Amino acid sequence: MAGQQRVYRARIRSTASLEKIFRAMELIASSRISKARAAVASSTPYAQAITRAVSAVATYSDVDHILTTEKENVRRAAILVVTADRGMAGAYSSNALKASEQLRERLTAEGKQVVTYVTGRKGVAFLRFRKRDIAGEWTGFSDAPTYEAADTIGNTLVEAFVKDYEDGGVDEIHVVYTRFVSMVSQQPEIIRLLPLEVVDSIEPPAPDEKLPLYAFEPNSADVLDALLPKYVNSRIFNALLQASASELASRQRAMKSASDNAKELIRMYTRLANQARQAEITQEISEIVGGADALAS
């Protein structure tokens, strides 16, 4: 009985230590989620505005730009997967990786060679464990992304897109990230980044409304050259911010669940330890009574 008590007391101590860690991680995630949500809210209008600007140039000009023109024969496609650097975030990274695997299977079924880029140590570990080639990897900023990181990723992807197929270039680029919907809902999202796929389309004019006339200075090709890198970087930055907010929300929810489970375990071990203690006391009393009866007889 005494041995059982020691075991339960040791489990209570270890579980209590884990509960403190879980609680601390929950509080940290809760304190950072507001800032992450504010960053998403501030970056989304800019990403939408520059998308509309690029769409206007592409729609109302007759220039064929390499970043907006569909290639006749798509032979190689790139996937950028956005995952977390750390765990303890529930199914956040696994859901994004599952979506990327489904996209990979679809592209492969279409006869396309798939090239993978990844952000976050979880995604890197996932691909290396499966002995997949990684064309580019970036880590260390999943819960607090910067525009510099998005700029680096965007430049790498654009450079791969403008290369010829024979030189290792890609014909299209997809991004898999987790979109922040609310504190209780985060959804894996797949977008085609290049060639330009209008995400926020321009509203069609009314029947009696005339189409606006656009003038591009110095010309539409130079305007596209200036806007498209900003478009790519802003879309990637917004995806990183959405993923960051999703990661923090998932971690906060997972740590709260883990903390609640730890408290329940502590209550169960405490009850078992008390039962063991009561059984030990009952046995001691029985031994004392038995010894007194033996002496009396």
Side-chain angles (χ1 to χ4, degrees):
M1 295 297 178
Q4 286 185 347
Q5 281 191 73
R6 286 194 295 271
V7 170
Y8 290 138
R9 296 300 177 190
R11 290 181 179 178
I12 289 172
R13 288 192 297 270
S14 63
T15 306
S17 298
L18 288 175
E19 192 271 334
K20 291 180 181 178
I21 295 174
F22 296 150
R23 178 61 177 164
M25 295 182 69
E26 177 191 351
L27 292 175
I28 292 172
S30 299
S31 65
R32 300 178 68 179
I33 187 65
S34 297
K35 183 178 180 181
R37 293 177 65 182
V40 171
S42 62
S43 71
T44 300
Y46 175 78
Q48 292 174 343
I50 198 169
T51 299
R52 286 193 294 267
V54 174
S55 301
V57 180
T59 303
Y60 299 109
S61 67
D62 56 357
V63 63
D64 291 330
H65 196 278
I66 187 173
L67 300 187
T68 61
T69 304
E70 296 277 352
K71 298 186 178 180
E72 295 181 0
N73 184 17
V74 179
R75 293 171 288 179
R76 184 180 292 131
I79 301 176
L80 171 64
V81 190
V82 181
T83 64
D85 284 314
R86 297 184 292 123
M88 300 291 191
Y92 164 73
S93 291
S94 62
N95 286 340
L97 290 168
K98 181 179 179 181
S100 70
E101 288 296 292
Q102 292 173 348
L103 175 61
R104 180 188 181 90
E105 291 176 0
R106 177 169 65 82
L107 295 175
T108 302
E110 294 173 358
K112 302 172 184 176
Q113 179 185 350
V114 177
V115 179
T116 305
Y117 297 83
V118 62
T119 71
R121 295 187 180 93
K122 288 297 179 180
V124 172
F126 175 87
L127 295 172
R128 286 181 177 171
F129 178 78
R130 286 158 180 76
K131 296 180 172 55
R132 301 267 183 83
D133 292 332
I134 302 176
E137 60 183 75
W138 300 270
T139 59
F141 54 81
S142 70
D143 56 353
T146 62
Y147 189 81
E148 288 73 17
D151 182 68
T152 301
I153 297 171
N155 291 339
T156 301
L157 295 178
V158 171
E159 182 181 351
F161 187 78
V162 299
K163 278 184 180 179
D164 293 332
Y165 174 81
E166 292 74 14
D167 297 330
V170 299
D171 300 316
E172 60 184 23
I173 297 175
H174 302 264
V175 180
V176 181
Y177 69 101
T178 305
R179 182 167 61 90
F180 181 85
V181 180
S182 66
M183 287 296 297
V184 296
S185 177
Q186 299 85 42
Q187 299 176 355
E189 191 91 354
I190 300 175
I191 62 171
R192 195 187 74 180
L193 189 66
L194 293 174
L196 173 64
E197 186 175 55
V198 177
V199 179
D200 306 292
S201 59
I202 302 174
E203 291 292 332
D208 57 346
E209 182 182 353
K210 295 182 179 180
L211 289 175
L213 297 177
Y214 288 91
F216 305 106
E217 294 292 342
N219 54 65
S220 55
D222 289 342
V223 173
L224 278 177
D225 287 339
L227 283 180
L228 282 171
K230 297 182 183 298
Y231 158 79
V232 171
N233 293 346
S234 67
R235 298 302 301 193
I236 292 176
F237 186 46
N238 184 256
L240 293 178
L241 291 175
Q242 294 265 4
S244 172
S246 299
E247 177 186 348
L248 291 171
S250 298
R251 181 169 293 116
Q252 188 268 342
R253 192 167 61 252
M255 290 300 97
K256 186 180 187 309
S257 178
S259 179
D260 292 343
N261 291 337
K263 290 177 181 177
E264 182 62 31
L265 280 175
I266 291 173
R267 284 194 291 267
M268 183 188 70
Y269 288 142
T270 301
R271 184 173 64 252
L272 292 174
N274 291 337
Q275 290 175 354
R277 176 60 179 161
Q278 291 172 357
E280 181 183 355
I281 292 172
T282 302
Q283 182 178 354
E284 290 176 354
I285 292 173
S286 299
E287 290 175 353
I288 291 172
V289 172
D293 290 342
L295 291 175
S297 62

